[in-house]
Amino acid sequence: MTLTLNVNGKPSTVTVSDGSMPLLWVLRDLLGLTGTKYGCGIEICGACTVLVDGQPEKSCDMDVSSAVGRRIVTIEGLSANSSHPAQVAWIANQVPQCGYCQSGMLMSVAGAMQAGHHGASIMGEVNNLCVCGTYPRIKAACSKL
Amino acid sequence: MNIPNPLNRPSMEQSSRRAFLGTATSGLTLAFFLPEVSRIDELNAAPVGTTVNAWLQIGADESITLTVGSSEMGQGSFSGLAQVLAEDLMVDYAKVQTVQGGPTLATIAPIGTSINTVGSSVIRTNFWKMRDAAAGAREMLVQAAMQLAGDAVRTNFTVANGVVAHKPDAKTWTYGALAAAASKLAMPASAPLVPDTQFRLIGKTMPRFDIPHKVNGSAVYGIDVRLPNMVYAVIKHAPSFGGTLAKAPAAPSGYMVIPTKVVAGTNRGLEAVGNVNAVAVVGPNTWDTWQRARSLNVTWNLPANAASLNTAQFLADAQALAKNATPYAAGAPNGPGTLYTVEGDATAANSAIAAAAKVVDATYSLPYVSHACMEVLNCTVDYVAGVKCEVWAPTQSAKAVLSLVATLMPALQPSQITVHTTYLGGGLGRKAEVDFVSQALQVAMVVGKPVKLMWPREEDFTHDQYRPMALVHARAGLTASGQVMGWSYRNISPSILAQRGVPLGPKGDSQGYEGSQDLPYAFGTGLTEYVTHPSQIPVGFWRSVGASINTFAVESMVDELAVAAGMDSYQFRRSLLTDPRWIAVLDAVATLSGWNSAAASGHFRGIAIGTAFNSIVAEVVEISNVTSTGFTVSKVSIAMDCYLAVNPGQIEAQLTGGMVHGLNAALYGKQTFVNGAAQAKNFSKSRMIRPSEMPQVAVTLVPNPTVSDRTKAIGGAGELGVPTLAPALANAYYRATKNRVRALPFFPNATMGD
Ligand code: FES
Ligand code: FES
């Protein structure tokens, strides 16, 4: 079946065998937006986090059919040139190590900011896993947002 | 400035070789050798001499490019090398482009032939080589300027920021303008290095080059590689280690099912060469293919001894070997269960302990632990029979990938093989293995299209090469006044090296006893033994490996001795130490943690110290909210002496990350087995700490500032946060509860949901 999604402000048409393919794999394999990562596939790690209508959602467990008609923002669409305040803070605080979890981390932070959180209260909304243990720098970066 | 993502560049190897060799007149190219390190060969056995594996290129366009073969998995070593280079080349750090070199078998100009990224090695083994190469290049450029100026007096010239100035006539040349002339000169035998007092970069916290890619989704990890016409392969292994395919299943319509076997060099324990231990399902995208793999009905043969391949049996075997093991004998088969004497003498140690006023006897156990890199194992291959094989892999060992391709595809010429190292979403030692690469190669040889092979998280957890399990039996005797008279230590653990076909000498497996030999304490008469555990569950390198096992047992035991002696844990250790470096690190962590002032009410501290990769590290863990079901890890203080810190901020990040790795393992890390099948299949059964559970961290580096001295060994940082965490935590827990946790993890039944 052919579906039209709104990804990063643009309509994107994809053909899937059925509507149950998770949004994660549609983004990565069909649309080539590989910034969104697979970590666990079972809604635990948060590496796959994207914004859906402004809310952080784990794309590994969201059927693509249920994403139709909603505004999807991935890390590639967070800003045109890494200018989102969270991205700027991430560079300033040298947050990433391996970096694999950081797309999801940043999308969770961006979602919390959209919901009106700032500074220390952002961390209360971020539950993503980072195996590299970058949490202190994430906290430091968020504290100024 | 960036590390090019592999898809943003043409075949790096080919284009670079052309550039380096074909256009010598347009720039200066230096080829040099960075020592190769592998855990097996050990640093000292690294080959020296003629092989070229790193390139420095100074272009007529003022570009400065450093091509190296090591892998970037978050440790920041690319940027660290650039920092060292820029110092002695006397250029702006931001001008250095670092490029991921791929290895090649073509002999003409091998780039990045081999640097295995293991053993926390990249900076510590390359520091002086890099400085010498940079200084040599700088002096060649100055000589070119001397020829142009017609002035042979070196002191008439100065260098700053990539510009050579001739003082008498106030003339200047950029490196770009001198590069062509310099390329015709010989590299000087030695060149003066920038004095420590003039360091602009070494010892300073500098930003990493790779970070901008890692905040906008543009960093290409292995799993992100996409090629035109690519198909997707999803692996499905026999559930049990040692299991083999009974009958090839029928392929679902529109999909292929390709059996893959264990190839020589990737065999570990039960996974024997030739075993068809997996099938790869190949299809149009990851998800649909994965669903077919999940529902595929495959019949597997269990290994003959499947019933005994379980965690309880492994522990029972270890307990028996703690009492009774056959000593190593030169020339004997020395199979599993052999007792190796690492150092000391059993009779002397036993009689010293027997004569003591007090004896402490304790047995510690550690489980198998998975790696669980955030990026699952994966590999992409573009193979065209008789034409080429191009591999993209998140590998810590590009050279092993290269050898594997050459072995599996003998018809290809060396120049037809290219290996691209992508960014790694964590390596942790697991990505030094090439089993997943061998599967992708086998699939590529069948499908005749570019193929990306991935391991679902469940495969990644259940077909790991685990941090070995271990049982340690320790005994020590004290005088009535608390002096240690005798120390006896026996570690029973599966051998990583033996599973890799490395013959074990009279001391056994260096990975097995790492962290338990050459202890700095005044222990009287000591004995260290290592026994090879017979379990054939695959084991492998894991961030700090043996040091993480033995430091837990040694430093828990030392704490038990402190209690027996009625002394403070810090003061007791200090009284047993004589090496000033160890004492300085211990003092530093005590100061940092406020050890000498009382902890806040309800807070309890534990201390531990250890060594790995030439660095000495100590940690103090502080816990609070201690109840019968759990506690909060409030604060971890870390002090390290790595002799010289190139980028202190990055070292702090690595120590913190290593500490978290150690904390995850100490609290929750374990893999168990039933019938040879691993039971923890995802993070749900292998919990890790969340952001809200992160303790406060403080790091201090000693000595600081450092003096650079060629005769001193520079220590590693990447793995150093791990080993002392678990014992410091157990020691803090003892302070809080008077319960000694001797078996890790603390919470074996913990689970994690979303
Ligand atoms: S991949 Fe979606 S939560 Fe882990
Ligand atoms: S930076 Fe590596 S997992 Fe978070």
Side-chain angles (χ1 to χ4, degrees):
Chain A
M1 69 173 74
T2 298
L3 303 172
T4 300
L5 301 172
N6 174 349
V7 182
N8 298 331
K10 284 191 296 251
S12 305
T13 302
V14 293
T15 304
V16 291
S17 51
D18 70 77
S20 69
M21 185 186 289
L23 179 60
L24 170 65
W25 299 107
V26 173
L27 292 171
R28 290 183 52 81
D29 291 354
L30 307 188
L31 296 175
L33 295 171
T34 53
T36 304
K37 298 296 194 250
Y38 164 66
C40 66
I42 54 170
E43 284 192 280
I44 286 180
C45 73
C48 63
T49 305
V50 298
L51 297 184
V52 178
D53 290 337
Q55 294 263 38
E57 295 283 353
K58 293 184 174 115
S59 64
C60 69
D61 198 48
M62 177 175 215
D63 290 359
V64 64
S65 56
S66 64
V68 173
R70 305 174 71 182
R71 281 178 299 114
I72 299 155
V73 178
T74 70
I75 184 74
E76 290 89 347
L78 186 58
S79 69
N81 43 14
S82 301
S83 59
H84 186 282
Q87 290 171 308
V88 173
W90 250 234
I91 294 174
N93 287 276
Q94 296 280 294
V95 170
Q97 289 193 30
C98 86
Y100 194 82
C101 70
Q102 300 294 344
S103 298
M105 223 33 112
L106 282 159
M107 297 316 286
S108 295
V109 169
M113 288 170 71
Q114 278 193 30
H117 292 276
H118 49 82
S121 86
I122 295 173
M123 285 308 284
E125 304 297 306
V126 177
N127 203 28
N128 302 35
L129 275 189
C130 174
V131 170
C132 294
T134 62
Y135 302 138
R137 289 190 180 188
I138 290 172
K139 195 170 161 190
C142 286
S143 69
K144 307 244 165 60
L145 292 175
Chain B
M1 173 169 48
N2 58 45
I3 300 166
N5 281 316
L7 299 184
N8 297 344
R9 60 180 161 93
S11 168
M12 193 15 244
E13 293 65 37
Q14 275 111 39
S15 61
S16 302
R17 215 171 303 134
R18 211 178 312 119
F20 288 153
L21 299 177
T23 58
T25 50
S26 73
L28 168 64
T29 298
L30 287 183
F32 54 101
F33 176 78
L34 299 175
E36 175 181 359
V37 181
S38 103
R39 295 300 296 270
I40 294 171
D41 297 337
E42 294 297 351
L43 197 51
N44 297 338
V48 260
T50 53
T51 325
V52 169
N53 61 13
W55 293 93
L56 164 62
Q57 191 180 32
I58 297 165
D61 60 354
E62 309 294 343
S63 64
I64 296 165
T65 310
L66 174 67
T67 306
V68 287
S70 56
S71 312
E72 180 54 79
M73 48 194 181
Q75 79 282 43
S77 46
F78 267 60
S79 305
L81 289 176
Q83 209 176 325
V84 174
L85 177 88
E87 186 74 83
D88 280 291
L89 194 56
M90 298 183 168
V91 296
D92 180 0
Y93 166 71
K95 281 205 68 174
V96 181
Q97 305 264 348
T98 52
V99 172
Q100 177 77 62
T104 169
L105 287 175
T107 49
I108 177 161
I111 292 173
T113 332
S114 53
I115 299 177
N116 289 337
T117 311
V118 293
S120 299
S121 64
V122 177
I123 299 294
R124 70 187 172 96
T125 58
N126 297 326
F127 180 79
W128 293 108
K129 289 275 177 191
M130 190 59 71
R131 293 195 68 185
D132 287 338
R138 182 233 304 146
E139 288 307 308
M140 288 166 78
L141 292 156
V142 173
Q143 277 175 37
M146 289 163 75
Q147 287 183 354
L148 287 173
D151 182 347
V153 181
R154 173 65 178 86
T155 48
N156 283 338
F157 294 81
T158 57
V159 186
N161 229 344
V163 175
V164 182
H166 184 228
K167 286 183 284 185
D169 61 9
K171 211 165 164 1
T172 61
W173 299 265
T174 62
Y175 278 4
L178 295 168
S183 72
K184 303 199 174 66
L185 302 173
M187 174 104 166
S190 73
L193 301 180
V194 171
D196 292 6
T197 51
Q198 289 167 30
F199 280 170
R200 296 166 299 129
L201 299 166
I202 294 171
K204 308 274 189 307
T205 292
M206 302 300 292
R208 270 166 48 197
F209 301 156
D210 54 328
I211 282 182
H213 294 285
K214 293 178 173 176
V215 303
N216 63 12
S218 68
V220 176
Y221 297 84
I223 203 166
D224 301 330
V225 172
R226 294 165 59 83
L227 301 173
N229 302 317
M230 182 175 86
V231 292
Y232 294 75
V234 173
I235 202 77
K236 180 182 182 115
H237 288 93
S240 294
F241 282 112
T244 55
L245 184 66
K247 184 159 94 25
S253 146
Y255 292 79
M256 291 171 82
V257 175
I258 300 170
T260 63
K261 63 181 188 216
V262 179
V263 305
T266 69
N267 53 304
R268 306 282 181 253
L270 289 155
E271 304 287 69
V273 175
N275 277 7
V276 179
N277 69 339
V279 295
V281 181
V282 182
N285 59 60
T286 307
W287 178 254
D288 288 334
T289 309
W290 186 4
Q291 296 319 296
R292 299 307 178 285
R294 267 184 187 148
S295 56
L296 196 68
N297 210 338
V298 190
T299 316
W300 304 100
N301 295 319
L302 279 178
N305 57 343
S308 64
L309 299 175
N310 62 71
T311 300
Q313 184 62 49
F314 299 149
L315 187 60
D317 291 345
Q319 282 160 343
L321 288 168
K323 296 200 177 66
N324 243 317
T326 312
Y328 168 87
N334 299 313
T338 297
L339 165 65
Y340 299 86
T341 300
V342 179
E343 62 188 9
D345 177 80
T347 315
N350 285 335
S351 51
I353 295 168
K358 267 190 229 169
V359 174
V360 177
D361 183 313
T363 301
Y364 304 93
S365 71
L366 297 95
Y368 287 105
V369 184
S370 307
H371 290 85
C373 299
M374 276 306 275
E375 179 197 24
V376 292
L377 297 174
N378 68 86
C379 177
T380 303
V381 179
D382 185 5
Y383 169 70
V384 182
V387 177
K388 69 159 182 178
C389 181
E390 208 164 346
V391 180
W392 288 259
T395 178
Q396 289 175 256
S397 186
K399 187 185 178 188
V401 173
L402 187 70
S403 324
L404 190 63
V405 179
T407 311
L408 290 181
M409 302 171 176
L412 289 180
Q413 299 300 310
S415 61
Q416 296 173 316
I417 303 172
T418 311
V419 174
H420 304 273
T421 303
T422 63
Y423 279 130
L424 286 77
L428 303 175
R430 179 63 176 93
K431 288 174 182 160
E433 308 296 342
V434 292
D435 49 340
F436 56 104
V437 176
S438 82
Q439 293 167 338
L441 292 169
Q442 293 177 65
V443 172
M445 291 171 82
V446 176
V447 297
K449 281 184 191 171
V451 59
K452 173 159 71 185
L453 178 133
M454 70 86 87
W455 289 32
R457 176 58 68 191
E458 291 75 10
E459 299 288 330
D460 195 276
F461 263 105
T462 56
H463 288 80
D464 202 351
Q465 299 178 22
Y466 305 92
R467 198 279 303 272
M469 62 163 287
L471 188 80
V472 173
H473 180 212
R475 284 185 311 130
L478 296 160
T479 62
S481 64
Q483 267 180 308
V484 183
M485 301 301 294
W487 167 268
S488 157
Y489 183 96
R490 177 181 291 193
N491 173 330
I492 304 102
S493 183
S495 166
I496 293 175
L497 298 189
Q499 282 198 2
R500 281 150 183 78
V502 179
L504 301 186
K507 291 182 167 193
D509 185 336
S510 57
Q511 300 300 313
Y513 60 73
E514 183 181 24
S516 64
Q517 88 288 18
D518 277 340
L519 293 174
Y521 296 117
F523 270 165
T525 309
L527 169 71
T528 304
E529 296 172 326
Y530 168 73
V531 181
T532 44
H533 188 286
S535 165
Q536 292 297 304
I537 295 294
V539 288
F541 305 105
W542 180 95
R543 201 170 184 175
S544 86
V545 217
S548 74
I549 295 170
N550 290 309
T551 307
F552 170 66
V554 168
E555 285 295 292
S556 294
M557 181 67 177
V558 170
D559 221 64
E560 300 207 36
L561 296 179
V563 172
M567 282 177 73
D568 170 78
S569 296
Y570 159 53
Q571 290 301 339
F572 180 72
R573 282 175 174 77
R574 213 175 181 288
S575 74
L576 291 173
L577 289 172
T578 50
D579 183 327
R581 284 183 73 199
W582 284 74
I583 293 172
V585 172
L586 193 68
D587 287 348
V589 85
T591 306
L592 185 67
S593 64
W595 184 273
N596 288 327
S597 49
S601 153
H603 286 238
F604 304 89
R605 299 189 191 115
I607 191 168
I609 187 166
T611 182
F613 311 112
N614 295 333
S615 292
I616 301 163
V617 65
E619 294 184 14
V620 168
V621 172
E622 187 169 316
I623 61 172
S624 58
N625 298 327
V626 184
T627 67
S628 58
T629 55
F631 50 80
T632 302
V633 182
S634 318
K635 184 173 177 192
V636 181
S637 306
I638 309 173
M640 180 170 81
D641 175 356
C642 60
Y643 175 56
L644 188 142
V646 171
N647 186 339
Q650 183 52 22
I651 288 178
E652 179 205 293
Q654 282 294 298
L655 285 173
T656 304
M659 183 279 286
V660 170
H661 188 72
L663 184 58
N664 285 332
L667 294 175
Y668 312 115
K670 77 169 200 319
Q671 185 57 283
T672 58
F673 298 88
V674 174
N675 282 332
Q679 301 299 297
K681 296 184 167 62
N682 207 319
F683 291 106
S684 44
K685 286 253 185 77
S686 193
R687 194 180 175 322
M688 292 190 175
I689 64 162
R690 298 281 196 186
S692 60
E693 295 161 320
M694 181 72 193
Q696 194 193 331
V697 188
V699 173
T700 185
L701 301 176
V702 288
N704 187 12
T706 44
V707 183
S708 71
D709 176 347
R710 241 176 234 278
T711 64
K712 300 271 172 61
I714 298 174
E719 312 188 47
L720 271 295
V722 184
T724 48
L725 186 283
L729 177 63
N731 297 342
Y733 189 73
Y734 177 81
R735 289 295 166 290
T737 62
K738 298 290 169 278
N739 274 330
R740 186 57 74 177
V741 172
R742 297 195 179 105
L744 293 182
F746 273 76
F747 304 107
N749 301 317
T751 58
M752 175 163 61
D754 95 81

